[in-house]
Amino acid sequence: MEGVEEMEVRPPPNHADTEGCLTEAERPPKRRERQGKSPRRRRDIKRRPDDQEHLLRRRLPGQAEHPESAASIVDTAEGSPKRWDRRGHFLHGPYPATHFGPKACILPNPTSVMHIQDPASQRLTWNKPPVNVLVIRKIRDETLLQPFKELCRFLIQEKQLVVYVEKKAVEEAALLKDETFGSIRNQLCTFREGYDDISDCIDLIICLGGDGTLLYASSLFQASVPPVMAFHLGSLGFLTPFKFESYKTEVAKVFEGNAAITLRSRLKVKVVKDMTQRTGQLYGEENGVDPQPCGENEAGKVTLQLQVLNEVVVDRGPSSYLSNVDLYLDGRLITSVQGDGVIVSTPTGSTAYAAAAGASMIHPNVPAIMVTPICPHSLSFRPIVVPAGVELMITLSPDARNTAWVSFDGRKRQEIQHGDSIKITTSCYPVPSICCHDLVYDWFESLAECLHWNVRKKQTRLTDVTDSSDAES
């Protein structure tokens, strides 16, 4: 599957009786490398004594394809003094044992390797100093005009950076009338969504507003995403950990590097629409979606591919009938969803629409995909969590009485008819969200501050330690 690296499971050392379950060709690389390898090579691959606690590591997606990228992630898991977590354990579980009892073991596959980096060691570093900064602010909110002007002035005059903004963000009447901002406005680089491609020239993204600004920033980059620094100036702010009052200090720290990073996984969504039964209909025209194929189309098929940060929602739309869609997992029919619809979300999206539909909340570093029904007409249909590497497919059931509608992070809503399909899997291009403190503290602070998680009046202690039931007896 594209973007998903495979796994190599290597047996730990000092298991003398494992040859009985392996042929000569299937023996672990530890056994075979002794012949034809130099002593230096053998020292390079020698196992550490604590290999059972060794982690699979994940490199930053796109790092190999873009070696000169301005930002990357450094691994400080090997006891670096700069590591934020000094507790001595990892957020991912320990490397699993591959031998079970005296005779059984997992068949090694030396051709497949999966690297998973420990989330606690994910730190931002700059290969080159950042030059181009994209500032995204909430539109039609006059309370953000002053912070927007201060930030732009700071980045241009003090930091000598090139600032990109959306064209409609600087065309508001209040900004045009401000003569003191005129010199700064003339130095801004503007773009229009859907017309100008800025994906290859942005080094850092700064968001001013609520969670919607982060979702919008994600939609602008359909491949590798620059680091995102989000300031809480909106209504909810679950994904925006920074306070604007100290923006100069916080921005300066990010430019210095060594900032904690949360890699928020995205969904790679492919929508295949069957156009053979539709005459004169333009796919996605009313939503501003490019109807051009994506390169894997058959005759009569039109494909759209998107990167989604929160969720894909399939619902019944304006119809009064139940939504009836089939859910496939890796090509197998799992169930049919009869209700108002279904939500397929990332761990980041588990605190959004999915949480309102009764799903559990998942930390963004957990590699998973959540499937949540919307008002299912079944008392036993509970939300489920599936591995991040599977491919889900949603189609309209043959017996469905009406069509369905799909939206991606609340945008580009369109109708799904018979013959159409929606394929969903985890993307290899996450959103690197910069943490204010660290990836654990920020998340729980957002749960408490934004969603008031587990807030209740404290139970008072008993004045008499004697159990009342014992006293009565």
Side-chain angles (χ1 to χ4, degrees):
M1 188 176 299
E2 179 186 351
V4 178
E5 302 174 12
E6 301 173 26
M7 178 176 290
E8 175 186 12
V9 182
R10 298 181 180 178
N14 301 327
H15 288 266
D17 197 18
T18 57
E19 288 84 359
C21 62
L22 298 176
T23 64
E24 181 66 23
E26 297 170 336
R27 289 184 181 179
K30 178 70 176 179
R31 298 285 183 178
R32 297 200 311 268
E33 57 89 16
R34 295 178 180 176
Q35 300 179 356
K37 299 288 185 179
S38 65
R40 179 179 178 84
R41 175 58 180 164
R42 293 210 304 266
R43 287 196 299 269
D44 291 341
I45 64 175
K46 185 177 181 180
R47 293 189 173 276
R48 298 189 301 272
D50 59 342
D51 220 9
Q52 286 300 314
E53 300 298 326
H54 172 55
L55 291 175
L56 300 172
R57 304 190 182 276
R58 176 184 300 157
R59 63 171 171 82
L60 179 64
Q63 187 173 359
E65 292 79 8
H66 307 283
E68 64 274 0
S69 176
S72 61
I73 289 180
V74 293
D75 182 5
T76 60
E78 300 297 332
S80 169
K82 294 183 179 180
R83 179 181 173 185
W84 71 273
D85 186 359
R86 301 178 183 272
R87 294 170 295 175
H89 68 268
F90 302 105
L91 294 183
H92 280 323
Y95 187 88
T98 58
H99 288 72
F100 315 106
K103 300 293 184 182
C105 62
I106 292 179
L107 180 65
N109 185 2
T111 62
S112 58
V113 178
M114 181 178 182
H115 299 282
I116 300 179
Q117 185 177 13
D118 173 50
S121 67
Q122 293 168 178
R123 313 288 297 189
L124 174 68
T125 185
W126 299 101
N127 298 329
K128 298 179 181 179
V131 176
N132 301 322
V133 179
L134 171 62
V135 177
I136 297 177
R137 73 171 180 87
K138 187 178 179 182
I139 306 298
R140 295 185 298 273
D141 189 345
E142 294 185 357
T143 62
L144 296 183
L145 293 181
Q146 187 61 31
F148 174 73
K149 291 186 290 185
E150 290 183 16
L151 179 62
C152 292
R153 185 177 290 108
F154 169 73
L155 295 175
I156 293 177
Q157 293 183 347
E158 297 188 28
K159 291 298 182 179
Q160 303 297 316
L161 298 174
V162 179
V163 177
Y164 286 75
V165 296
E166 195 173 7
K167 188 176 181 179
K168 60 184 179 181
V170 295
E171 290 182 342
E172 293 190 8
L175 287 178
L176 295 176
K177 295 178 181 178
D178 190 351
E179 298 180 356
T180 60
F181 188 68
S183 60
I184 299 298
R185 183 174 59 249
N186 295 334
Q187 300 180 60
L188 297 175
C189 298
T190 61
F191 72 96
R192 293 180 299 169
E193 181 188 10
Y195 294 91
D196 302 316
D197 184 12
I198 60 172
S199 58
D200 293 332
C201 60
I202 300 300
D203 301 323
L204 174 68
I205 304 173
I206 299 180
C207 296
L208 304 178
D211 296 343
T213 58
L214 192 67
L215 297 176
Y216 177 67
S218 171
S219 68
L220 295 176
F221 297 86
Q222 292 300 301
S224 179
V225 184
V228 181
M229 185 179 190
F231 287 93
H232 178 27
L233 292 169
S235 54
L236 185 61
F238 193 90
L239 307 178
T240 54
F242 289 95
K243 306 299 181 183
F244 190 77
E245 289 77 9
S246 57
Y247 75 94
K248 290 186 178 182
T249 303
E250 300 295 347
V251 171
K253 289 181 180 179
V254 170
F255 286 159
E256 293 173 359
N258 197 37
I261 287 287
T262 298
L263 295 182
R264 299 186 179 275
S265 63
R266 294 195 291 179
L267 299 176
K268 184 178 73 172
V269 185
K270 183 183 293 184
V271 182
V272 180
K273 307 199 78 170
D274 188 358
M275 305 299 293
T276 57
Q277 301 178 358
R278 309 174 200 177
T279 58
Q281 180 181 2
L282 287 178
Y283 167 56
E285 182 181 22
E286 70 279 5
N287 294 291
V289 181
D290 187 2
Q292 297 299 321
C294 277
E296 297 183 4
N297 304 315
E298 302 173 358
K301 304 284 186 179
V302 178
T303 302
L304 170 70
Q305 186 166 303
L306 294 170
Q307 303 283 332
V308 177
L309 178 58
N310 259 2
E311 74 270 309
V312 178
V313 179
V314 179
D315 57 62
R316 58 190 177 97
S319 174
S320 59
Y321 291 110
L322 287 175
S323 172
N324 192 355
V325 296
D326 292 337
L327 178 64
Y328 295 82
L329 191 148
D330 285 341
R332 293 187 177 184
L333 178 63
I334 300 301
T335 189
S336 294
V337 182
Q338 298 182 89
D340 281 355
V342 63
I343 305 169
V344 179
S345 61
T346 64
T348 297
S350 67
T351 54
Y353 194 178
S360 297
M361 294 179 290
I362 306 176
H363 190 277
N365 269 110
V366 177
I369 299 175
M370 173 166 282
V371 180
T372 307
I374 307 173
C375 298
H377 199 248
S378 169
L379 298 179
S380 59
F381 198 163
R382 303 299 301 159
I384 60 173
V385 178
V386 298
V390 304
E391 182 182 69
L392 298 172
M393 185 175 70
I394 300 175
T395 63
L396 206 60
S397 297
D399 299 331
R401 297 184 179 183
N402 57 292
T403 61
W405 288 75
V406 61
S407 60
F408 315 94
D409 282 344
R411 309 181 73 200
K412 294 181 171 59
R413 183 172 172 84
Q414 53 202 257
E415 190 175 15
I416 298 297
Q417 301 184 12
H418 288 283
D420 300 343
S421 63
I422 307 169
K423 297 181 179 181
I424 307 170
T425 189
T426 300
S427 169
C428 63
Y429 299 110
V431 174
S433 179
I434 301 176
C435 302
C436 182
H437 300 95
D438 60 62
L439 69 170
V440 175
Y441 179 85
D442 285 4
W443 191 68
F444 279 99
E445 185 179 41
S446 295
L447 287 181
E449 294 293 331
C450 301
L451 300 182
H452 302 290
W453 176 63
N454 195 29
V455 174
R456 73 178 297 272
K457 188 176 180 180
K458 288 286 187 179
Q459 186 182 40
T460 59
R461 60 177 300 178
L462 296 174
T463 56
D464 187 2
V465 296
T466 305
D467 193 338
S468 58
S469 59
D470 295 338
E472 292 176 359
S473 61

